[in-house]
Amino acid sequence: MLSLPLRHHPRKAPPPSGSPAPGRVRRAAALFAGLLAAVAFVAGPGARPAAATSATVPLEAVTGFGGNPGNLAMYVYRPNSLPARPAVVVALHGCHQSAQLYADNSGLPELADRLGVLLVLAETTSANNVSSCFNWFQSGDNQRGQGEAASIQQMALHAQSAYGADPARTFVTGLSAGGAMTAVMLADYPDIFSAGAVIAGIPYNCTQDNGPFVCMNPGVAHTPDVWAQRVRDADPSWQGPWPRVAVWQGDKDPTVAPANADALRDQWTAVHGLSRTPTTTRTIGPDATRQERYAAPDGSTAVEVDRVPGIGHGTPVDPGSGAQQCGNTGTANFIASICSSYWIGEFFHLDDSPPPSSLPAPTGLTATSVTESSISLSWNTVQGATDYAVHRDGTRIATPAALSATDTALAPGTRHTYTVAARDASGREGARSAELTVSTAGATPACWAADNYHQVQAGRATTSAGNTYAKGSGQSMGLYNTFVTHTLKEFPSGYFVLADTHCP
């Protein structure tokens, strides 16, 4: 269902290096779409009988949600019991599908009803792509600030502002072309999405040096560092925290080769600086899906891979009324096996977060002391607060009752961003304060003079679309070649700024 006929827009950038010429891609894509139309994707051996599709899920069409350069439609499903500051899950359908079809069959509305989640469904059409696929492979649609990716970002921001949704609990998931576009959103907008679930998808920017069909099957082999650098290049100024990523893949998928699950794992474990050896493995669900977890240093699961046995290309569902059941199988590419939406909700921790408090954000957050290994903070009192939650780089690290906290065991010369929120007697957090960025002491600024090519090769800069950017600051350094030379100052560790006139 990952058919890829291209649309024509004057805003499109030229194809990335290594991609086939547009005419060849269009001809191949049209042929591929015809072949797909003749193939019936069904569940593998032992699958349970298909169930009839339930009643249509009521969706609200949303217009005027912001800039819409990708010409997409936005729909919302709101449970009757939607709490204040709900979590948001953005869902992206597969090829030959629609927002309504995905809502009716994926099991996501059941998740929204059970946990009080705002469900946002983006929709593309045949006007964008003749097979109604998201254009995950188009440079004009898969880069930050452009095309369809920018439209989906605007939907997430609109959900936060118009529905009072929680910016810290905004997630994205999708199937097939929607799964590949999920990877795009996580790479392009790590400041918006805290986690995502890619179902039968493709690593971010695989088409930088390969055609889309090669990326789909047999897949592309790169080192984890190469895959990870493509994510970092998507937003050169972003230094983390990086989104958590779950990967779902059928082991009999004839359309998106299972090797893509390994490539996605390699890409995101490398982004998080983790080993490719799972921290834990287990089986889940009625079909013994194999779940591999890759833990961050704090013990949380940063990357998860769920390998679904015996199924082809589609969203795994498990029709029924049980606590871990969801979805329908009366439509192609929704395959009876396991309720993936239930487990995706578990990965997003949608049931772990208490409803937020109405307490206002603390003011006056400041650093009162900085050493080589610690940063001390203070802030102003909030009336009605029982205690406070201190967050470092997006992760809660302490809940002091006092108006101060000291973060210890930090590395010299490292840069961290802090926020603080007041908590009520039930442990619910209110709004977070403005961010404060502080660097520990102890590191001596280092200076590096080299041409742009060698700055990138040394890991001090990144490249995107033929240009070079200082790692950390994201400052533009000009063309990626051996003729342009700059001096970069590193301070704190891993953060580089242009210093051509004076360094240190």
Side-chain angles (χ1 to χ4, degrees):
M1 65 185 303
L2 243 164
S3 323
L4 306 171
L6 305 184
R7 70 186 186 188
H8 303 279
H9 279 306
R11 63 181 174 81
K12 297 296 181 199
S17 176
S19 295
R24 291 173 56 197
V25 172
R26 283 192 292 271
R27 290 192 293 273
L31 175 60
F32 190 72
L35 291 173
L36 286 178
V39 176
F41 292 108
V42 295
R48 292 181 293 282
T53 302
S54 65
T56 299
V57 173
L59 300 181
E60 304 172 19
V62 179
T63 58
F65 55 81
N68 188 16
N71 192 33
L72 303 179
M74 175 180 178
Y75 296 88
V76 166
Y77 174 72
R78 283 196 291 180
N80 292 329
S81 57
L82 191 70
R85 287 175 63 83
V88 178
V89 174
V90 177
L92 308 175
H93 62 78
C95 297
H96 307 292
Q97 293 184 349
S98 64
Q100 187 68 64
L101 185 75
Y102 207 65
D104 289 346
N105 295 280
S106 64
L108 289 172
E110 292 97 311
L111 176 74
D113 287 335
R114 180 168 60 87
L115 299 177
V117 172
L118 180 71
L119 182 59
V120 173
L121 298 109
E123 181 180 88
T124 187
T125 66
S126 58
N128 282 11
N129 179 296
V130 298
S131 296
S132 298
C133 307
F134 288 102
N135 286 317
W136 58 273
F137 52 93
Q138 292 262 53
S139 60
D141 284 304
N142 66 11
Q143 296 183 22
R144 184 179 173 94
Q146 297 187 42
E148 292 180 356
S151 293
I152 297 168
Q153 178 228 20
Q154 288 294 304
M155 294 180 197
L157 293 175
H158 181 79
Q160 294 171 6
S161 61
Y163 297 88
D166 187 351
R169 295 191 297 148
T170 301
F171 310 97
V172 60
T173 185
L175 164 68
S176 192
M181 187 58 81
T182 294
V184 167
M185 300 311 298
L186 295 172
D188 284 354
Y189 297 102
D191 53 331
I192 302 294
F193 299 100
S194 60
V198 179
I199 305 174
I202 310 291
Y204 173 69
N205 211 6
C206 177
T207 50
Q208 176 177 312
D209 49 7
N210 286 278
F213 305 121
V214 173
C215 290
M216 290 159 52
N217 200 332
V220 173
H222 283 307
T223 66
D225 288 343
V226 169
W227 282 127
Q229 190 61 47
R230 295 187 182 188
V231 171
R232 298 187 189 104
D233 288 346
D235 183 5
S237 65
W238 184 256
Q239 295 301 300
W242 296 101
R244 300 166 55 247
V245 182
V247 179
W248 284 76
Q249 179 70 48
D251 67 1
K252 305 294 185 186
D253 192 332
T255 305
V256 174
N260 282 289
D262 296 326
L264 280 160
R265 174 205 61 198
D266 292 354
Q267 186 168 61
W268 288 99
T269 53
V271 166
H272 283 274
L274 304 177
S275 166
R276 287 181 289 168
T277 301
T279 309
T280 61
T281 60
R282 62 172 179 166
T283 57
I284 59 172
D287 59 351
T289 288
R290 178 181 173 85
Q291 185 179 82
E292 304 164 1
R293 287 178 166 176
Y294 302 80
D298 64 1
S300 64
T301 301
V303 178
E304 177 183 289
V305 180
D306 296 276
R307 304 179 191 273
V308 187
I311 75 165
H313 189 67
T315 296
V317 296
D318 183 14
S321 57
Q324 297 185 12
Q325 290 184 290
C326 70
N328 295 285
T329 58
T331 303
N333 304 114
F334 297 95
I335 306 173
S337 50
I338 180 175
C339 171
S340 56
S341 291
Y342 171 86
W343 294 99
I344 288 169
E346 290 279 299
F347 179 77
F348 290 165
H349 300 309
L350 295 177
D351 55 350
D352 293 345
S353 301
S357 167
S358 59
L359 291 171
T363 59
L365 178 61
T366 187
T368 57
S369 175
V370 176
T371 71
E372 291 186 0
S373 60
S374 68
I375 296 173
S376 296
L377 307 167
S378 69
W379 53 89
N380 297 329
T381 188
V382 172
Q383 190 68 31
T386 300
D387 57 18
Y388 299 86
V390 180
H391 299 261
R392 181 221 304 143
D393 301 328
T395 300
R396 190 169 70 190
I397 59 170
T399 54
L403 298 176
S404 61
T406 298
D407 189 13
T408 59
L410 302 174
T414 54
R415 185 170 179 262
H416 303 284
T417 298
Y418 295 91
T419 58
V420 63
R423 301 204 310 170
D424 61 21
S426 300
R428 300 179 302 174
E429 292 187 22
R432 294 189 186 183
S433 68
E435 292 183 344
L436 173 69
T437 300
V438 189
S439 299
T440 54
T444 302
C447 298
W448 311 88
D451 61 70
N452 283 353
Y453 172 80
H454 286 95
Q455 296 280 25
V456 171
Q457 295 305 304
R460 297 186 288 267
T462 61
T463 181
S464 178
N467 292 312
T468 309
Y469 301 89
K471 186 176 180 181
S473 68
Q475 291 176 308
S476 177
M477 299 167 59
L479 293 175
Y480 176 47
N481 58 34
T482 59
F483 303 105
V484 180
T485 298
H486 286 291
T487 299
L488 293 177
K489 180 172 74 173
E490 181 181 11
F491 186 82
S493 178
Y495 189 88
F496 298 86
V497 297
L498 284 168
D500 291 332
T501 57
H502 180 72
C503 192

